[in-house]
Amino acid sequence: MDDDPKIREAEDERLINDAFQKLITDYLNSRHRKKTDLITKAFNFAKQAHKGVRRLSGEPYIMHPIAVAQIVCSEIGLGSTSICSALLHDVVEDTDYTVEDIENMFGPKIAQIVDGLTKISGGIFGEKASAQAENFKKLLLTMSEDIRVILIKIADRLHNMRTLDSQPANKQYKIAGETLYIYAPLAHRLGLYKIKSELENLSFKFEHPDEYNSIVRKLEDTQVSRHESFDQFKAPIEEMLQKMGLHYEIRERVKTPYSIWTKMQNKHVTFDEIYDILAVRIIFTPTSRAAETKECFNIYVELCQIYRSHPDRLRDWISHPKSNGYQALHVTLMSKEGHWIEVQIRSDRMDEIAEQGLAAHWKYKEGGEYAEDENELNEWLHTIKEILDDPQPDAMDFLDAIKLNLFSSEIFIFTPKGEIKTMPADCTALDFAFSIHTFLGSHCIGAKVNHKLVPLSHKLQSGDQVEILTSKSQHVQPSWINFVSTAKARSKVMAILRRQSRDIQKAGEEVLDAWLQKNGLEKTQSVIDQLCELHEVPRREPFLQGLGQKTILLGEKDLEVLKGKKSGDGGGASGWRKFVPFVKSSKKKDSENQQPDLFTVPEKFNRKKPIYITDENISQYKFSTCCHPIPGDDVLGYIDNKNQIVIHKRSCSVANKLKTSYGNRILDAKWDMGRTLFFDATIRLGGIDRRGLVHEVTRVISNQLSVDIRRLTFTTEDGVFDGTIDLRVHDRNDVKDIIDKLKEVDDLKEISQIQ
């Protein structure tokens, strides 16, 4: 039934005005300078620009910019410049207005931020990469001038994730993948922990709905017992804090569904085997700012009188705050029920910075009303500028470079003079050398760590004192790329290697030209492609490099192929990427090496509809070897460079990169299989060794479940065994049934599937 247009218009108007009124009320309740006129002007301008346009959900489009501005104001705590930019962030992209129009009406600062938030067409990565990597690069370029760009972008992404239900499944996977790969780590890096957790959970909910709902249900079922544990644990702590005369609050913090699921995947455990779902947060008001640190440690000392503390799990983020400003004291205590519980001790100021991140710093910098023009992350932004100065030629490399440095956890390294430098965890001596200076890195021959000589690849630990040793005769080696881990070091090494590579390629080009000329052949793309295929090299560049380095030599065989003669080796595909599907059928195969007839995506293919994998068409798809999907796994399709479809698990790390860099090539894929085909699966077992155990395991699998065992490997040491079993199964349910049955066998302590 169609509504009366006038009634609908009036409804829309009321909806829009209510949302805007809430935004203004929340802004007036903040400590920012009260520039409501500017915000109202931006709202009216955006409302007019988006007039008549609706989102996929059916609501008026202007509701999205208002919602983003609301997040910017209430959840991130920014002021009028950011709120106006949020209201205007889609105007340039979706309407005929330009950045110049915005500048004329709202000034250069808002125009610059809006420009940074506007998507662009074309880019350095060419047609094959999605525009997302290019947009992200533009975002970072503007962000390195003004951090508010990324904060508004995170707010924009959060609202898009909250309203993702209206999108088709392939779009959901693309957006959820980008969110998990880029935006959640960015929010974490900027200290927006609440937003980071919500982004992770929403991504998890759309990519793995069954697992998400299962964990949410289990959290609800265990809520009562968790509350009881919390009340029991906090009672003596409350008594202690009252004796200390502190104003305090004790909060129960429950692990998010996403972090529970991640732990289940990484540790191969069930929900019931995770004991740190509950954590406790003590937030107190210090007697003075000067006494804040001392009082945190006093609380810690008193806690250790009540509960036994874990010696290896004290984290002091107060003396050494994280680079995003996070401060707290983390201690893990043994409860009376025999479970380790993490306790976070922080002042109310530290808590606000932990929740609101960067924005809360401004609040504590100035009294009364405060401006938001301070830049807290100079060093981090400087790192971004360095990466952008030397853009990676490939979208995936670029996004990897960003992730490597900006989103990793941190360790503290001392220079020979005792200065502290913050470095990403897992960094090497070579990374440290490049962090100080490019010259130092490129001529580094080794290092002294705590006065002991170590190689370049030595991984540094927090608290190490490092002295870099150099030699003018040392030059960047290709092997270095295998052990540098920071974005700066990797980008510098890659840049120097590319420069060297260009020289070698030039020499290879000269070798090729001379050989073709000598044999009376013309230099065409077809000729080069044939030579690449013959030498099993994927692309022109490495082929020329091989010629330049003399690892590839041109001879009679090449001439025979180019002049149309057979190469005398029996023919067949020598291709460097020969595809043999890992799916094995129970029926007899026609030929072991027969190339399957792969499905090629036509030009007008509907990418919004799911593809169904059936017993009949399964050989038309490629199955990735990085994650080995089998029926029952949550999967997606990726259209590769040959327009063929590769099936990945949705949780696969390679698939996450693809969703981020090539999101427009992602397809929703679903299984529609009978139980006729067999797939390979591997189960890992661990436990206490005893006589007859292997026999019992094989009896459960072969006799009770009628599953074929292909290979069995067991190793025993000091009464403890470790083993793997390769099986032939129909689907994921078979694997689950086997694991459930094996859990009933005595002395089996660890059972998990190897991905």
Side-chain angles (χ1 to χ4, degrees):
M1 185 182 85
D2 286 328
D3 291 341
D4 183 326
K6 284 186 178 174
I7 295 174
R8 187 171 188 185
E9 202 175 311
E11 269 296 306
D12 287 350
E13 198 64 30
R14 188 183 59 76
L15 196 71
I16 293 164
N17 288 334
D18 286 353
F20 181 64
Q21 218 39 61
K22 184 181 186 319
L23 173 65
I24 288 292
T25 306
D26 286 2
Y27 171 66
L28 287 171
N29 289 333
S30 75
R31 286 168 54 201
H32 284 281
R33 295 171 186 154
K34 306 297 180 269
K35 295 185 181 174
T36 48
D37 292 351
L38 187 68
I39 294 172
T40 307
K41 182 182 172 185
F43 163 66
N44 288 328
F45 181 73
K47 184 181 167 189
Q48 190 55 42
H50 295 301
K51 194 174 175 67
V53 182
R54 293 188 178 275
R55 300 188 86 210
L56 281 179
S57 58
E59 67 178 11
Y61 193 88
I62 186 65
M63 293 299 288
H64 169 63
I66 296 172
V68 175
Q70 182 71 54
I71 294 167
V72 162
C73 173
S74 307
E75 298 182 51
I76 304 180
L78 299 176
S80 58
T81 305
S82 302
I83 292 169
C84 289
S85 303
L87 287 167
L88 299 166
H89 80 272
D90 277 336
V91 167
V92 175
E93 188 185 333
D94 296 343
T95 73
D96 294 333
Y97 289 105
T98 63
V99 176
E100 287 72 31
D101 295 330
I102 302 288
E103 185 168 350
N104 291 335
M105 292 188 72
F106 298 97
K109 181 48 75 181
I110 289 175
Q112 183 198 12
I113 295 173
V114 170
D115 186 36
L117 292 162
T118 303
K119 291 178 188 160
I120 47 179
S121 55
I124 58 166
F125 299 129
E127 290 304 306
K128 287 180 182 173
S130 96
Q132 183 60 29
E134 184 62 34
N135 292 328
F136 187 58
K137 180 177 189 296
K138 183 185 177 193
L139 188 71
L140 290 173
L141 276 166
T142 321
M143 168 191 171
S144 60
E145 301 303 322
D146 195 318
I147 194 76
R148 286 172 290 197
V149 175
I150 204 77
L151 294 169
I152 298 165
K153 187 66 191 171
I154 287 169
D156 178 37
R157 179 50 62 117
L158 178 59
H159 186 246
N160 282 335
M161 288 301 295
R162 285 173 178 173
T163 56
L164 199 57
D165 292 277
S166 52
Q167 294 280 1
N170 65 324
K171 269 285 184 66
Q172 287 179 348
Y173 304 152
K174 167 195 179 299
I175 293 168
E178 286 168 6
T179 301
L180 212 49
Y181 193 72
I182 290 179
Y183 292 100
L186 263 176
H188 176 75
R189 180 67 195 215
L190 291 163
L192 302 167
Y193 290 108
K194 209 171 173 184
I195 289 177
K196 169 235 178 195
S197 296
E198 190 177 346
L199 287 172
E200 286 176 341
N201 269 335
L202 288 167
S203 299
F204 174 40
K205 176 185 166 185
F206 285 106
E207 292 218 82
H208 305 282
D210 295 341
E211 282 99 327
Y212 174 82
N213 292 325
S214 165
I215 291 172
V216 168
R217 271 197 308 275
K218 282 173 180 167
L219 282 172
E220 285 168 0
D221 293 344
T222 54
Q223 195 172 2
V224 175
S225 63
R226 235 186 0 263
H227 278 326
E228 286 171 2
S229 298
F230 173 65
D231 290 341
Q232 201 178 339
F233 183 76
K234 76 169 181 178
I237 299 175
E238 284 194 307
E239 201 179 312
M240 170 205 90
L241 291 168
Q242 282 163 4
K243 278 183 188 168
M244 290 175 78
L246 291 169
H247 290 284
Y248 68 88
E249 185 186 350
I250 301 181
R251 286 188 207 150
E252 177 183 8
R253 192 182 66 85
V254 178
K255 255 190 190 316
T256 63
Y258 174 76
S259 59
I260 291 171
W261 180 73
T262 307
K263 190 156 192 176
M264 285 165 68
Q265 299 300 305
N266 293 342
K267 304 269 187 194
H268 302 295
V269 292
T270 63
F271 180 90
D272 300 326
E273 293 170 287
I274 295 177
Y275 294 112
D276 61 346
I277 286 174
L278 174 70
V280 173
R281 196 169 278 163
I282 299 171
I283 298 151
F284 72 97
T285 306
T287 49
S288 70
R289 180 73 197 271
E292 192 178 46
T293 302
K294 188 182 175 193
E295 286 172 0
C296 277
F297 279 96
N298 286 346
I299 292 170
Y300 163 64
V301 170
E302 292 297 327
L303 277 176
C304 294
Q305 305 298 315
I306 304 170
Y307 295 110
R308 190 159 58 84
S309 67
H310 195 300
D312 299 328
R313 290 202 205 158
L314 174 66
R315 297 286 178 269
D316 174 13
W317 298 113
I318 293 175
S319 312
H320 303 292
K322 293 185 180 182
S323 59
N324 57 22
Y326 179 84
Q327 284 184 289
L329 199 58
H330 292 197
V331 54
T332 303
L333 303 172
M334 175 64 79
S335 74
K336 300 282 190 266
E337 295 169 319
H339 293 154
W340 290 111
I341 293 179
E342 185 183 72
V343 178
Q344 299 171 358
I345 306 163
R346 49 170 85 153
S347 69
D348 42 18
R349 178 190 69 86
M350 294 172 189
D351 185 60
E352 195 161 359
I353 288 171
E355 291 300 313
Q356 281 200 325
L358 181 73
H361 282 275
W362 296 312
K363 188 177 283 192
Y364 290 97
K365 285 254 171 183
E366 304 171 22
E369 294 181 342
Y370 61 100
E372 55 170 48
D373 57 359
E374 292 217 29
N375 204 336
E376 289 287 339
L377 296 179
N378 281 329
E379 200 173 317
W380 189 45
L381 297 179
H382 180 65
T383 306
I384 290 172
K385 280 181 179 166
E386 285 191 331
I387 297 165
L388 295 169
D389 285 343
D390 179 45
Q392 304 292 326
D394 179 76
M396 305 284 260
D397 289 349
F398 170 71
L399 290 166
D400 277 350
I402 294 293
K403 275 195 71 83
L404 266 176
N405 215 57
L406 306 189
F407 311 143
S408 48
S409 52
E410 297 155 336
I411 58 172
F412 301 99
I413 304 297
F414 292 92
T415 66
K417 290 182 179 175
E419 294 164 17
I420 290 183
K421 278 190 82 73
T422 304
M423 294 290 292
D426 284 335
C427 71
T428 60
L430 186 59
D431 289 310
F432 184 68
F434 272 105
S435 77
I436 297 168
H437 199 281
T438 304
F439 179 84
L440 208 62
S442 50
H443 294 285
C444 178
I445 51 168
K448 280 187 176 176
V449 173
N450 307 325
H451 311 296
K452 286 181 186 166
L453 200 61
V454 297
L456 301 177
S457 56
H458 177 82
K459 283 196 175 178
L460 302 178
Q461 305 290 322
S462 206
D464 281 348
Q465 187 169 26
V466 182
E467 181 188 348
I468 299 300
L469 308 172
T470 60
S471 162
K472 282 184 180 173
S473 61
Q474 174 72 295
H475 295 290
V476 172
Q477 307 297 317
S479 61
W480 288 10
I481 209 69
N482 299 323
F483 55 79
V484 287
S485 70
T486 60
K488 179 177 179 178
R490 182 172 281 262
S491 67
K492 293 296 178 193
V493 169
M494 291 286 275
I496 295 165
L497 289 175
R498 275 200 299 275
R499 209 160 44 239
Q500 292 173 1
S501 174
R502 279 196 291 272
D503 296 340
I504 295 166
Q505 273 184 45
K506 205 173 173 188
E509 193 104 41
E510 287 166 7
V511 170
L512 178 64
D513 290 346
W515 185 81
L516 290 172
Q517 200 174 352
K518 179 186 161 192
N519 292 292
L521 292 164
E522 197 182 337
K523 186 181 180 183
T524 63
Q525 189 58 47
S526 167
V527 164
I528 293 171
D529 286 346
Q530 284 183 71
L531 288 171
C532 285
E533 192 170 341
L534 189 70
H535 290 276
E536 299 191 359
V537 180
R539 293 189 320 279
R540 176 187 177 130
E541 289 78 11
F543 172 66
L544 292 174
Q545 216 167 330
L547 288 176
Q549 290 170 321
K550 297 188 171 52
T551 55
I552 292 176
L553 300 171
L554 298 172
E556 287 301 315
K557 199 173 176 184
D558 302 281
L559 267 181
E560 285 175 6
V561 171
L562 293 178
K563 290 186 174 177
K565 295 173 190 171
K566 290 286 174 198
S567 56
D569 61 350
S574 68
W576 59 285
R577 201 178 267 173
K578 201 181 292 179
F579 170 71
V580 180
F582 74 85
V583 175
K584 301 279 198 301
S585 171
S586 56
K587 297 164 191 168
K588 202 173 180 184
K589 301 188 295 281
D590 298 337
S591 162
E592 194 65 43
N593 292 318
Q594 190 177 334
Q595 187 91 357
D597 190 14
L598 294 170
F599 173 70
T600 304
V601 175
E603 206 172 310
K604 291 187 177 174
F605 186 73
N606 185 348
R607 299 186 182 201
K608 289 183 181 177
K609 282 191 172 177
I611 55 167
Y612 287 90
I613 307 164
T614 65
D615 292 337
E616 288 70 38
N617 71 13
I618 193 164
S619 62
Q620 295 179 7
Y621 303 114
K622 295 179 181 178
F623 284 76
S624 66
T625 51
C626 51
C627 56
H628 289 296
I630 68 173
D633 286 329
D634 289 338
V635 289
L636 53 78
Y638 165 67
I639 302 170
D640 68 9
N641 292 342
K642 295 180 179 175
N643 280 336
Q644 290 160 350
I645 296 174
V646 187
I647 306 297
H648 283 268
K649 285 184 186 175
R650 283 182 224 156
S651 56
C652 165
S653 58
V654 174
N656 275 337
K657 287 187 200 175
L658 295 173
K659 284 177 261 187
T660 305
S661 300
Y662 305 99
N664 54 336
R665 300 198 209 165
I666 299 296
L667 302 171
D668 182 19
K670 297 187 187 301
W671 299 100
D672 185 16
M673 305 283 293
R675 290 173 62 83
T676 56
L677 300 180
F678 285 101
F679 299 80
D680 296 339
T682 304
I683 287 176
R684 189 186 153 273
L685 303 172
I688 311 301
D689 189 30
R690 64 171 165 82
R691 185 174 290 179
L693 183 66
V694 175
H695 173 68
E696 210 172 319
V697 167
T698 53
R699 186 175 54 78
V700 166
I701 296 171
S702 301
N703 298 358
Q704 287 188 26
L705 299 166
S706 304
V707 172
D708 285 346
I709 296 175
R710 289 179 56 236
R711 189 172 57 183
L712 194 64
T713 320
F714 275 83
T715 54
T716 307
E717 192 177 342
D718 298 332
V720 175
F721 80 88
D722 195 56
T724 57
I725 307 175
D726 292 352
L727 306 165
R728 309 290 298 284
V729 296
H730 291 301
D731 54 30
R732 173 71 49 225
N733 285 336
D734 281 359
V735 179
K736 188 179 178 302
D737 290 345
I738 292 164
I739 289 175
D740 288 346
K741 275 285 179 198
L742 287 173
K743 282 182 176 175
E744 295 171 12
V745 176
D746 289 341
D747 298 322
L748 279 185
K749 302 297 181 188
E750 294 174 355
I751 309 165
S752 59
Q753 187 195 353
I754 295 175
Q755 301 298 330

